[in-house]
Amino acid sequence: MSAYLITQTSLVARICRRLMQRVRLFSRVETGTVTVESVIILPLLFFGVMATFSYFDAYRKQSLALKANYAIADYLSRVYKFDRNTLEGLDELFEYMSKTGEDSWVRVTMVQCPDNKTLVQCNEQVPRKLRRLGSKASNNSGISGHTRTTMREFLGPHIPKMYVGESLFVVETVAKYEPLFPGRWTGIYPRDFEHVVVSGTREYDKLCFENAASPCEDPVTP
């Protein structure tokens, strides 16, 4: 019985030595085929290119959305009034410039530091005592304009310090981004690119939203 065990042990030892020799020989082999190497490396290259493209596309769309917001703010800074048709046209312009879908939206809010408030109340107090002159959102946004409370809460931190009687307007835009590839592969998931730009009119005292119920007064020209 012991001789049998010795024989089996010797056989196992020989097999292990041969396996180790073959492994060592295989580790020294430097030959290969393009097919095998391609099967190994192509998936890695594919995921690398896909992730790089996804990140580049996301940053590009975010940049386009911000530039479109600036374009809308620049236009509104050159006029003293706008109406619903103008706002909807600006919304379509934003969708075109940002290359996003119809779920994107625009909201314009006019604010003022009232004459009956002090600089501390307008600039330092929390929430800031700013007056809401009007707030309108595009029809496809599914949201309404800011109330005085939400304006002070959400827009207050974005608005720079104002002097008494000064009027500014805030352009909010949201661009809906849908990545080309699934997020579980690249880490880029659908998201909203939100931008807030604060500006003032170039030649007029303030910006006014006009409708049939409350027409805007024509500015006094010298």
Side-chain angles (χ1 to χ4, degrees):
M1 186 66 180
S2 59
Y4 175 78
L5 292 177
I6 293 173
T7 302
Q8 293 297 321
T9 303
S10 176
L11 179 61
V12 171
R14 288 198 299 270
I15 293 175
C16 291
R17 284 197 298 271
R18 289 181 180 179
L19 288 176
M20 293 301 298
Q21 290 175 357
R22 290 182 178 274
V23 171
R24 285 194 291 269
L25 290 174
F26 178 77
S27 64
R28 297 193 184 101
V29 173
E30 298 180 355
T31 60
T33 64
V34 175
T35 303
V36 175
E37 294 173 353
S38 299
V39 170
I40 296 174
I41 200 64
L42 280 181
L44 299 177
L45 289 176
F46 174 75
F47 281 106
V49 172
M50 182 174 58
T52 302
F53 179 82
S54 297
Y55 277 93
F56 174 81
D57 184 65
Y59 279 112
R60 184 176 68 89
K61 290 292 181 64
Q62 185 180 36
S63 176
L64 289 175
L66 179 59
K67 292 177 181 178
N69 187 311
Y70 280 132
I72 293 174
D74 181 70
Y75 168 78
L76 292 175
S77 70
R78 302 173 187 273
V79 299
Y80 69 93
K81 66 178 181 180
F82 69 104
D83 55 14
R84 172 57 60 181
N85 290 333
T86 303
L87 181 59
E88 298 305 322
L90 292 175
D91 179 74
E92 293 182 3
L93 175 65
F94 176 76
E95 294 174 4
Y96 173 78
M97 294 186 64
S98 62
K99 300 185 185 301
T100 53
E102 295 183 357
D103 292 334
S104 303
W105 54 265
V106 177
R107 177 164 56 190
V108 181
T109 304
M110 292 75 71
V111 300
Q112 182 185 47
C113 178
D115 294 333
N116 60 348
K117 303 295 182 181
T118 64
L119 290 177
V120 174
Q121 290 176 312
C122 286
N123 299 323
E124 306 296 337
Q125 189 170 339
V126 180
R128 299 169 64 179
K129 298 300 181 181
L130 300 175
R131 176 184 297 167
R132 182 184 67 92
L133 300 179
S135 182
K136 299 296 178 180
S138 53
N139 287 330
N140 66 332
S141 63
I143 63 173
S144 58
H146 278 294
T147 64
R148 184 180 65 176
T149 302
T150 60
M151 178 270 295
R152 291 177 174 178
E153 179 180 357
F154 294 105
L155 298 186
H158 296 279
I159 300 173
K161 291 185 177 181
M162 305 171 64
Y163 58 81
V164 174
E166 183 182 11
S167 298
L168 299 173
F169 65 88
V170 184
V171 178
E172 299 172 81
T173 56
V174 169
K176 303 289 185 177
Y177 175 69
E178 292 287 341
L180 296 176
F181 302 103
R184 64 180 180 275
W185 293 351
T186 63
I188 302 294
Y189 293 89
R191 63 190 63 202
D192 294 345
F193 292 143
E194 303 178 10
H195 295 103
V196 179
V197 172
V198 184
S199 184
T201 56
R202 297 172 182 265
E203 301 177 6
Y204 308 103
D205 293 334
K206 60 183 179 180
L207 181 65
C208 174
F209 180 79
E210 184 174 57
N211 53 35
S214 57
C216 298
E217 298 181 358
D218 293 333
V220 178
T221 56

